[in-house]
């Protein structure tokens, strides 16, 4: 797990921190590793690898990382070889208020040597393109009982750098015409895992080393919007500029 990649992620997050060989990687930094590059012909229109491999083709073009759960069994060490094992745990189709939906859960295991370090469940949602006259679902309202809160802002450069470091080709994060005209967003969309990363680091600062962390995206946040990272007890959330709830999360500290 190359220290250069971890340090580039620190810089992208605005941290004046460095990781050396043998140092402990912060939680969720494994997102910057285990790339699976595909040639252009193997990509879908949205920039993600085409489905039909480990993720079945469910006939729905729009993809969103809806949430996830993590169990931290041992720290990941920089400069040490690691292995990631991925399985498709579930894939099911249904119909919601906005039409056809599909839910896919991937299970990832990250190992160093013979030790399981991280278990992660990644929840993906696939849906059809929005109708031009479709009414947008109303975002939930964020809680107002935060014990601690800190402001955070984003811009197109940061989203591009995070996409590059995590090898995330999803065009909603860097291609404004695509995000606006094809997928119907008001701007570039802040990555769900980027918001989860910031909440995870806040949880570690305020609770100590983490045993588990779970998160769920509830409304998109745009690159031009400011937000707040909030905590009450072991509950965490992202509050948008209009008090909409963009993400909820919970954490448990390691004993």
């Amino acid at each position: 797990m190359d220290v250069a990649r971890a340090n580039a992620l620190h810089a992208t997050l605005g941290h004046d921190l460095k990781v050396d060989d043998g140092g402990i990687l912060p939680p969720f930094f494994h997102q910057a590793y285990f790339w699976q590059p595909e040639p252009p012909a193997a990509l879908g229109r949205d920039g993600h690898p085409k489905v039909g491999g480990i993720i079945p083709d469910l006939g729905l073009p729009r993809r969103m990382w809806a949430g996830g759960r993590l169990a931290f069994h041992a720290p990941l060490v920089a400069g040490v070889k690691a292995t990631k094992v991925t399985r498709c745990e579930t894939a099911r189709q249904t119909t919601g208020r906005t039409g056809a939906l599909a839910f896919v859960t991937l299970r990832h295991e990250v190992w160093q040597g013979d030790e399981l370090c991280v278990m992660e469940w990644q929840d993906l949602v696939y849906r059809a393109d929005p109708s031009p006259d479709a009414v947008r679902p109303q975002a939930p309202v964020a809680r107002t009982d935060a014990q601690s809160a800190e402001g955070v802002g984003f811009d197109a450069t940061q989203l591009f750098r995070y996409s590059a470091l995590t090898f995330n080709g999803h065009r909603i994060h860097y291609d404004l015409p695509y995000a606006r005209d094809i997928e119907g967003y008001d701007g570039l969309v802040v990555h769900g895992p980027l918001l989860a990363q910031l909440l995870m680091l806040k949880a570690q600062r305020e609770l100590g080393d983490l045993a588990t962390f779970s998160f769920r995206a509830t409304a998109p946040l745009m690159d031009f919007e400011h937000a707040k990272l909030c905590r009450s007890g072991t509950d965490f959330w992202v509050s948008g500029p209009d008090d909409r709830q963009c993400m909820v999360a919970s954490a448990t500290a390691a004993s």
Side-chain angles (χ1 to χ4, degrees):
M1 305 193 83
D2 181 18
V3 296
R5 204 173 290 185
N7 289 330
L9 183 50
H10 268 312
T12 298
L13 297 174
H15 301 162
D16 186 19
L17 297 171
K18 295 288 184 182
V19 177
D20 296 319
D21 282 336
I24 301 302
L25 292 175
F28 215 44
F29 264 44
H30 65 272
Q31 296 301 320
Y33 299 89
F34 309 108
W35 292 349
Q36 293 182 303
E38 298 287 353
L43 301 179
R45 69 164 200 196
D46 61 359
H48 278 301
K50 291 178 181 177
V51 293
I54 192 171
I55 299 176
D57 186 355
L58 300 169
L60 298 168
R62 299 178 67 201
R63 165 176 162 158
M64 180 180 72
W65 187 336
R69 291 149 286 143
L70 298 106
F72 301 100
H73 299 289
L76 287 167
V77 179
V80 176
K81 183 178 179 180
T83 301
K84 178 180 171 183
V85 179
T86 297
R87 298 176 178 87
C88 182
E89 197 162 83
T90 61
R92 63 184 180 88
Q93 289 183 282
T94 186
T95 301
R97 289 177 300 170
T98 58
L101 295 170
F103 297 93
V104 174
T105 297
L106 302 179
R107 189 182 77 190
H108 310 289
E109 301 173 1
V110 183
W111 297 73
Q112 283 190 320
D114 295 328
E115 187 167 28
L116 174 62
C117 298
V118 180
M119 285 277 289
E120 178 184 4
W121 290 265
Q122 180 185 11
D123 297 324
L124 305 174
V125 175
Y126 290 84
R127 58 182 55 186
D129 285 326
S131 169
D133 57 354
V135 178
R136 293 187 183 184
Q138 188 168 358
V141 177
R143 293 169 55 171
T144 58
D145 62 341
Q147 295 173 320
S148 69
E150 55 197 80
V152 63
F154 304 90
D155 58 35
T157 301
Q158 185 181 31
L159 300 193
F160 171 80
R161 294 174 78 187
Y162 188 78
S163 289
L165 276 170
T166 58
F167 215 75
N168 181 348
H170 200 176
R171 294 166 62 186
I172 62 172
H173 304 304
Y174 60 86
D175 183 341
L176 180 57
Y178 175 86
R180 184 182 55 215
D181 301 336
I182 302 300
E183 298 221 14
Y185 294 107
D186 292 331
L188 298 176
V189 180
V190 180
H191 309 66
L194 175 54
L195 294 177
Q197 175 72 83
L198 295 174
L199 288 180
M200 230 172 290
L201 295 175
K202 179 178 176 66
Q204 185 184 50
R205 289 193 302 271
E206 299 185 12
L207 301 180
D209 290 338
L210 301 180
T212 66
F213 190 89
S214 61
F215 65 95
R216 179 170 56 88
T218 54
L221 183 72
M222 301 297 109
D223 65 306
F224 53 81
E225 295 182 310
H226 282 75
K228 289 186 294 185
L229 308 176
C230 304
R231 176 182 73 87
S232 178
T234 57
D235 294 336
F236 295 80
W237 65 96
V238 178
S239 176
D242 52 0
D243 295 325
R244 74 181 181 275
Q245 174 189 283
C246 297
M247 177 170 285
V248 292
S250 63
T252 60
S255 56

